[in-house]
Amino acid sequence: MTRWTRICALTDIPSLGSRVVESTGEGRIAVFRSSADQVFALHDRCPHKAGPLSQGIVHGTTVTCPLHGWKIRFEDGQVVAPDVGCAKPYPVKVEGGDVFLQI
Amino acid sequence: MRKLKLVMVGNGMAGVRTLEELRKIAPDMYDITVFGAEPHPNYNRILLSPVLAGEMTIQDIILNDLQWYADNGITLHLGARVTEIDRRNRSVIATDRKGGTITVDYDRLLMATGSTPFMPPFPGRDLPGVISYRDIKDTDEMIAAAATFPHAVVIGAGLLGLEAANGLALRGMKVTVVHNSEWIMERQLDRTAGKMLQAELEKKGMRFRMNAQTAELVAGASGRVAAVKFKDGDAIPADLVCVAAGIRPNVELAEKAGIHCNRGIVVNDTLQTYDPRIYAVGECANHRGTAYGLVAPLFEQAKVCANHLAEMGISRYQGSVTSTKLKVTGIDVFSAGDFSGSDGAEDIVLHDPGLGIYKRIVLKDDKLVGAVLYGDTKDGAWYFQLLKDEQDISDIRDHLVFGNAHLGDVGHKGGNVAAGMPDSAEICGCNGVCKGTIVKAIQEHGLFSLEDVRRHTKASSSCGSCTGLVEQILASTVGGAYQPADSNNRAVCGCTELSHGEVRRAIREHKLLSVAEAQRHLGWRTPNGCATCRPALNYYCLSTWPHEATDDPQSRFINERAHANIQKDGTYSVVPRMWGGLTTPGELRAIADAAEKYKIPTVKVTGGQRIDLLGARKEDLPGIWSDLARAGLVSGHAYGKSLRTVKTCVGAEHCRFGTQRAMELGVKLEKMLYGMWSPHKVKLAVSGCPRNCAESGIKDVGVIGVDSGYEIYIGGNGGIKTEVAQFFAKAKDDDEVMAYSGAFIQLYREEGFYLERTCHYLERVGMEHVRQRVLEDADSRRALYERLLFALQDYTDPWAEICEDPSGGPRKREFEIIKVQEREI
Ligand code: SRM
Ligand SMILES: Cc1cc2nc3c(=O)[nH]c(=O)nc-3n(C[C@H](O)[C@H](O)[C@H](O)COP(=O)(O)OP(=O)(O)OC[C@H]3O[C@@H](n4cnc5c(N)ncnc54)[C@H](O)[C@@H]3O)c2cc1C
Ligand code: SF4
Ligand code: FES
């Protein structure tokens, strides 16, 4: 069973930045915040060579992996062509200024 | 809002490229309708030659399949020829395959009708078996004829004629090439190269008839062409006659509609015709008196035209320099620019008939203006780049004709060995991409630019040292269609049209103080830019407006945000500064203690005279820093586009040969530059005497002590391509060294492009410029030095700043991991 867990306040995540959540079952999850204050969560492992996506540069709703520059889309975790691959996305929402993650 | 209607006439390479560019920048602005007289979707016309030669198939050369048009919502009428443009009512009228009429209204019309082959008016030109060489239909006809008949005659020995002749010969026909001047390809080659090429093609079995005037084409008993008769009365058998006597811009339709034409549809720098609603691109257009017949200029036009169709109005097309390469497998010919021998031009020729090599380069006012290469064309792309960049070649003139290899090695600017490499040869060492992969990607995806290749293969997208090789491969795979960008004017990235120079200027002139402000002001296409442009913009704002611009941590690469280097496994390395390579037992103890306390797996002495703690966990970084800070250690910036190290030798302090106190000066320099951000990393060294134990000869600024003072060298680089630093100035004491090198570094900080090391900066602006600003003009030097010191004043150590923040502020919080426990419900 999955449930919503509060992880932090929205303001704890820098705009165009991220925070790392460590969960017992799923391992590390990167939670990103866009410049429009949307939040997204992806498994913190690049499909290329497991780079920590949380450490990449965020632009639009995409992150560029810090290790070799693959670009991963937040909405579905798909890698931007011509590279291929997918990082697992997780449901995440903002309510009353707090960020909730479903795991 | 109602969408505007765009109609395009001509479904060829220039037109469809314009649509592609338009979809990139204004995907929703137009409803697009395309008319193509040919029954095929857009294909790569230049690859018809390999198709004829049997090296590729039609399927291989399709650039945009029907699905592409559907995906982009483009209404496509294939096999439909536009017969009339009604400018008053703004509509076009076309006849479809079945003879029906289609009428479509437009708000904007794009003419991309290409050219028509020129048929000289000799009798017999309408006979069956007489064709030109332009499209798939012609190619199919030639392939069919080659299967049945023995004799082919090609009229015209230009690029196209020779490629046709080669293909027909490979398909087993006896081919004679008829040409009306003294040597072949006379528009692209000089006499010597033309004759060498002819001899080579004769060896492949082609026959040539030079200075020949065709009188008529004679029919045989079947009514098909059977012979070519010359004005001197001679005749030769011909079952197939391919006429390749030149092309004429296809202006029939435009002329009929009353649009001003003069050897092409006349357009201005925005590709607009005399009717402001109508644009023209490609071979049908005449821009500043030239109608181009190669695809590279057409692609440039497409980009500019799309920009204006999208009503962005910021770019202009200003004409192109073209180069040509003959696509006949096994034969290497390259030509570019002007080599007709105009006033004041000088020739340098290297001719080795034994090896079949001929190179001629033409110089004018210390610039390269033309090049013809035969037999060894490896340096073609390099020469073409020098030509386009209008680079001053006086320094390398002695070696120029011998090619890039003689200037050092494979180099940053242009490789020279790609053509001869096997497919298995590794080109990009960083990403492990071999030549075959690149060639395949170019062919399968129809790539034309370096950017495309980077995107699809990753080659040349990391350290960039193989860029020259990749450009070579592009040039040899797509022939003249490859157009290297003018290196100084490349767009920063896909988010903008503007180059680094233009962005820098705008930030200065309009006092732009943050990444977001710059993006807004400069019309960035993407909401927050990308990982390429944001760090550059951030640096440009900070370096132009120190203490005023706002630093944006999110626009910095992770290393600069975390003040440590990210490792392949996501851990970090920590390198404390050791001023001038000096340390103390107390500092060493603190490092040892931190390494033990935080279970650092690897402790290593770096190549920069200090100690690296490798494998630290991100969440431990603030702890490690505060432990180190207590012993007085600060960040070494081993991660930044910033001052790295100042290497020193023991110098006159201890060494029996030392003439100057190297350690002391090294420490002073490092303290002066501490906390400096720069376009790329900056490394210095100070040696106490010319034995140069600190390796000052390969540093951005290298200082060598001599009896009378110091010698300063600049622009050295020990990295990807070793570059020996150039002598810059003599200085009498430490203060002078600091003022001179400080002023040079500040000049580089103000003028360098992001990720340009000092050696590349120096190559771009020239040593003379730097000497002028730093050595000859004392006021300028003083002002530069003062601006450097001003920018660096009050710098606080980032480690201390983050870990000593008592409020546990957001920058510190980012290092913490949020732990959650999943519970079974
Ligand atoms: C740690 C060190 C190797 C060592 O163990 O000795 C090192 C490690 C790295 N170097 Fe280096 N370089 C190190 C000395 C050098 C030197 C030698 C020197 O400084 O005297 C050079 C050649 C000199 C020069 O730069 O001119 C050098 C030339 C490079 C280059 C090529 C630069 C170029 O312009 O060609 C890169 C790639 C880049 O910067 O784009 C690079 C990049 C890197 C990076 C930062 C790669 C990266 O972006 O992650 C490496 C980080 C490894 C890590 O995981 O921490 N490293 N690197 C050295 C740190 C010195 C220090 O104390 O700060
Ligand atoms: C065999 C061959 C080899 C070549 N090799 C090279 C090379 O190595 N390097 C290089 O740079 N260039 C090469 N070229 C030239 C290059 O192919 C052209 O410069 C380029 O294709 C021109 O593009 P365009 O869009 O202007 O014209 P086209 O690609 O010719 O497109 C024009 C299209 O418009 C259609 N059309 C015309 N009038 C109408 C109308 N009234 N209604 C509807 N449709 C219409 C035509 O049918 C045609 O399909 C080669 C050309 C050929 C034929
Ligand atoms: S430390 Fe430098 S040379 Fe060694 S692998 Fe990394 S980048 Fe390459
Ligand atoms: S690990 Fe992400 S790009 Fe290589």
Side-chain angles (χ1 to χ4, degrees):
Chain A
M1 267 305 282
T2 56
R3 58 178 198 117
W4 291 101
T5 312
R6 179 194 180 274
I7 49 167
C8 61
L10 178 64
T11 49
D12 285 336
I13 312 175
S15 179
L16 291 177
S18 73
R19 292 296 301 270
V20 179
V21 173
E22 185 150 326
S23 73
T24 43
E26 298 282 315
R28 291 195 170 187
I29 297 168
V31 183
F32 301 94
R33 174 174 167 195
S34 75
S35 56
D37 286 346
Q38 297 156 284
V39 291
F40 301 92
L42 293 178
H43 193 201
D44 197 13
R45 269 176 74 89
C46 176
H48 179 219
K49 292 190 176 171
L53 298 176
S54 53
Q55 313 296 298
I57 288 184
V58 177
H59 40 95
T61 52
T62 305
V63 62
T64 297
C65 175
L67 293 195
H68 318 95
W70 280 26
K71 297 189 178 66
I72 291 93
R73 283 202 309 253
F74 292 154
E75 289 90 343
D76 51 5
Q78 291 293 337
V79 172
V80 174
D83 301 315
V84 281
C86 179
K88 182 175 172 190
Y90 295 88
V92 64
K93 66 179 177 185
V94 185
E95 253 175 41
D98 285 329
V99 181
F100 294 85
L101 181 67
Q102 194 179 59
I103 40 175
Chain B
M1 206 184 78
R2 184 183 78 92
K3 279 198 190 180
L4 294 172
K5 295 197 200 89
L6 174 67
V7 173
M8 181 166 102
V9 188
N11 184 31
M13 297 182 75
V16 175
R17 176 55 79 101
T18 311
L19 297 185
E20 286 180 336
E21 296 284 351
L22 183 63
R23 306 301 296 189
K24 272 197 248 164
I25 52 178
D28 301 317
M29 192 160 161
Y30 289 103
D31 274 328
I32 301 175
T33 306
V34 172
F35 289 95
E38 291 182 67
H40 309 279
N42 182 36
Y43 60 90
N44 191 339
R45 195 173 301 284
I46 72 181
L47 294 181
L48 286 176
S49 302
V51 170
L52 180 64
E55 292 159 2
M56 289 179 115
T57 67
I58 294 292
Q59 211 42 48
D60 294 337
I61 69 170
I62 299 292
L63 287 171
N64 303 77
D65 56 15
L66 294 174
Q67 192 59 42
W68 179 85
Y69 294 87
D71 288 348
N72 286 291
I74 296 171
T75 310
L76 176 65
H77 297 286
L78 285 182
R81 177 174 290 279
V82 174
T83 51
E84 203 181 320
I85 303 170
D86 179 350
R87 288 167 57 202
R88 187 175 316 232
N89 294 312
R90 296 211 295 271
S91 66
V92 297
I93 300 155
T95 311
D96 71 13
R97 257 179 282 200
K98 300 185 197 92
T101 300
I102 311 171
T103 306
V104 179
D105 296 340
Y106 65 82
D107 295 301
R108 304 256 194 297
L109 182 66
L110 177 59
M111 303 290 292
T113 48
S115 342
T116 39
F118 172 63
M119 271 284 173
F122 30 62
R125 51 192 263 199
D126 300 325
L127 292 174
V130 179
I131 57 163
S132 50
Y133 187 19
R134 180 72 196 168
D135 52 27
I136 291 185
K137 191 173 113 289
D138 299 331
T139 312
D140 284 344
E141 233 180 290
M142 283 197 261
I143 294 173
T148 338
F149 301 103
H151 297 288
V153 171
V154 173
I155 298 181
L159 216 61
L160 211 61
L162 293 179
E163 291 185 4
N166 177 58
L168 293 170
L170 284 173
R171 287 192 182 266
M173 294 188 90
K174 287 200 185 63
V175 183
T176 306
V177 180
V178 174
H179 198 51
N180 61 5
S181 40
E182 202 198 331
W183 68 88
I184 61 181
M185 277 176 75
E186 80 281 3
R187 301 223 338 261
Q188 290 88 9
L189 299 182
D190 64 9
R191 188 175 187 282
T192 313
K195 289 286 176 197
M196 290 176 83
L197 173 60
Q198 182 180 336
E200 188 71 29
L201 292 171
E202 278 167 350
K203 271 196 229 150
K204 286 177 153 259
M206 278 179 222
R207 266 171 288 182
F208 286 87
R209 222 183 152 100
M210 307 306 292
N211 290 318
Q213 308 289 329
T214 306
E216 77 172 292
L217 309 180
V218 190
S222 68
R224 188 184 171 89
V225 69
V228 174
K229 208 165 164 185
F230 299 103
K231 292 221 169 113
D232 63 9
D234 244 13
I236 52 172
D239 308 301
L240 175 74
V241 176
C242 175
V243 184
I247 52 174
R248 297 283 178 272
N250 183 359
V251 296
E252 198 187 325
L253 181 64
E255 257 175 353
K256 202 168 119 193
I259 302 168
H260 178 52
C261 296
N262 177 15
R263 282 177 292 120
I265 306 172
V266 179
V267 293
N268 62 18
D269 286 1
T270 67
L271 284 316
Q272 199 174 35
T273 68
Y274 273 69
D275 179 336
R277 290 183 177 272
I278 305 182
Y279 288 76
V281 288
E283 287 188 343
C284 65
N286 179 331
H287 172 263
R288 298 191 189 177
T290 307
Y292 294 93
L294 292 166
V295 303
L298 311 186
F299 286 174
E300 288 182 38
Q301 294 178 352
K303 198 160 180 175
V304 175
C305 183
N307 187 289
H308 289 278
L309 284 172
E311 296 178 357
M312 296 180 74
I314 44 176
S315 62
R316 284 168 64 196
Y317 175 70
Q318 294 174 301
S320 305
V321 190
T322 54
S323 71
T324 35
K325 227 177 148 284
L326 183 68
K327 300 191 299 299
V328 171
T329 306
I331 294 188
D332 290 321
V333 201
F334 171 90
S335 117
D338 172 21
F339 45 88
S340 53
S342 61
D343 275 359
E346 299 169 81
D347 270 348
I348 302 180
V349 177
L350 182 124
H351 187 179
D352 185 336
L355 285 179
I357 290 176
Y358 173 80
K359 299 181 180 187
R360 172 162 169 225
I361 55 182
V362 187
L363 308 179
K364 197 171 173 182
D365 303 329
D366 287 334
K367 303 213 171 91
L368 188 70
V369 294
V372 183
L373 308 177
Y374 183 84
D376 174 3
T377 56
K378 295 191 297 277
D379 289 306
W382 182 61
Y383 287 129
F384 191 39
Q385 189 80 51
L386 291 176
L387 197 145
K388 283 192 55 145
D389 287 355
E390 298 186 13
Q391 193 171 322
D392 186 324
I393 48 82
S394 44
D395 287 351
I396 52 172
R397 186 186 159 124
D398 292 359
H399 304 282
L400 197 59
V401 74
F402 302 109
N404 198 11
H406 277 257
L407 294 173
D409 52 42
V410 230
H412 290 278
K413 266 224 154 165
N416 53 9
V417 282
M421 283 180 160
D423 276 357
S424 59
E426 182 170 270
I427 302 294
C428 174
C430 297
N431 296 294
V433 187
C434 58
K435 180 182 167 187
T437 313
I438 300 176
V439 171
K440 192 155 158 256
I442 293 171
Q443 291 172 344
E444 281 180 2
H445 302 289
L447 311 181
F448 292 103
S449 72
L450 183 63
E451 273 318 304
D452 288 345
V453 175
R454 284 188 178 145
R455 242 168 24 86
H456 279 267
T457 67
K458 282 282 185 279
S460 148
S461 63
S462 297
C463 81
S465 70
C466 61
T467 301
L469 288 176
V470 175
E471 289 184 314
Q472 284 271 321
I473 295 173
L474 256 169
S476 61
T477 311
V478 302
Y482 172 61
Q483 186 83 341
D486 175 344
S487 10
N488 297 334
N489 288 320
R490 276 184 201 167
V492 173
C493 65
C495 304
T496 179
E497 297 271 331
L498 302 172
S499 65
H500 284 272
E502 290 166 325
V503 170
R504 281 219 88 150
R505 211 171 312 125
I507 288 177
R508 182 179 310 279
E509 284 170 8
H510 302 282
K511 193 159 184 184
L512 306 175
L513 294 177
S514 71
V515 174
E517 190 182 341
Q519 287 174 336
R520 230 175 6 252
H521 186 93
L522 300 172
W524 238 243
R525 285 182 203 141
T526 44
N528 330 105
C530 69
T532 302
C533 59
R534 285 236 306 276
L537 289 173
N538 196 46
Y539 169 70
Y540 292 152
C541 292
L542 290 177
S543 57
T544 313
W545 301 106
H547 305 297
E548 290 187 80
T550 331
D551 188 7
D552 175 19
Q554 303 308 336
S555 291
R556 288 177 178 269
F557 183 65
I558 181 59
N559 288 359
E560 292 186 6
R561 244 183 302 149
H563 295 283
N565 289 54
I566 195 164
Q567 311 286 296
K568 60 190 284 191
D569 62 356
T571 62
Y572 288 79
S573 74
V574 174
V575 187
R577 203 166 277 286
M578 287 181 176
W579 308 96
L582 291 153
T583 184
T584 62
E587 287 180 352
L588 291 173
R589 209 169 280 125
I591 291 174
D593 288 344
E596 276 180 357
K597 177 167 165 193
Y598 295 98
K599 303 197 171 55
I600 300 295
T602 309
V603 180
K604 180 182 183 299
V605 175
T606 73
Q609 297 188 336
R610 44 200 194 164
I611 292 175
D612 197 349
L613 303 173
L614 295 134
R617 300 187 309 158
K618 189 176 180 193
E619 51 275 35
D620 288 341
L621 291 177
I624 298 175
W625 297 340
S626 72
D627 285 7
L628 294 176
R630 247 172 273 131
L633 288 157
V634 295
S635 164
H637 296 92
Y639 46 81
K641 306 298 171 237
S642 58
L643 169 70
R644 291 286 175 91
T645 58
V646 181
K647 250 167 134 160
T648 66
C649 72
V650 286
E653 285 97 327
H654 297 279
C655 176
R656 65 198 167 107
F657 296 119
T659 59
Q660 299 291 343
R661 298 174 63 83
M663 291 190 287
E664 188 181 316
L665 177 58
V667 173
K668 278 198 223 166
L669 282 167
E670 190 160 351
K671 296 218 151 136
M672 169 175 92
L673 297 172
Y674 172 56
M676 174 186 84
W677 300 112
S678 34
H680 206 308
K681 54 194 175 190
V682 172
K683 301 178 177 182
L684 287 78
V686 185
S687 293
C689 85
R691 287 170 192 76
N692 198 6
C693 298
E695 301 166 338
S696 300
I698 48 165
K699 293 289 176 262
D700 296 284
V701 174
V703 181
I704 297 176
V706 290
D707 238 13
S708 55
Y710 295 101
E711 286 174 354
I712 304 175
Y713 293 79
I714 60 173
N717 185 315
I720 294 160
K721 182 192 174 209
T722 311
E723 199 76 61
V724 176
Q726 304 177 44
F727 175 73
F728 181 52
K730 277 212 60 168
K732 64 177 189 310
D733 55 22
D734 290 14
D735 288 343
E736 259 189 23
V737 172
M738 298 181 40
Y740 284 27
S741 45
F744 163 65
I745 290 172
Q746 179 64 12
L747 191 65
Y748 162 64
R749 295 184 70 230
E750 291 177 4
E751 299 182 339
F753 296 161
Y754 196 65
L755 296 188
E756 185 177 55
R757 285 287 293 264
T758 53
C759 65
H760 307 126
Y761 163 72
L762 212 52
E763 183 178 315
R764 178 165 62 81
V765 303
M767 184 61 139
E768 216 19 69
H769 168 75
V770 178
R771 291 179 58 86
Q772 219 298 320
R773 298 287 308 277
V774 178
L775 298 182
E776 278 147 39
D777 183 344
D779 289 338
S780 154
R781 172 175 66 241
R782 227 167 290 126
L784 282 165
Y785 187 43
E786 275 165 20
R787 287 205 292 278
L788 174 76
L789 299 181
F790 169 72
L792 299 179
Q793 77 190 18
D794 305 327
Y795 182 75
T796 43
D797 178 49
W799 288 357
E801 196 182 28
I802 295 174
C803 64
E804 279 160 22
D805 180 354
S807 70
R811 289 189 59 201
K812 189 171 179 182
R813 235 174 298 147
E814 267 178 71
F815 289 87
E816 289 161 13
I817 304 253
I818 303 170
K819 307 243 179 202
V820 297
Q821 187 82 41
E822 290 133 270
R823 260 171 289 167
E824 295 295 323
I825 298 181

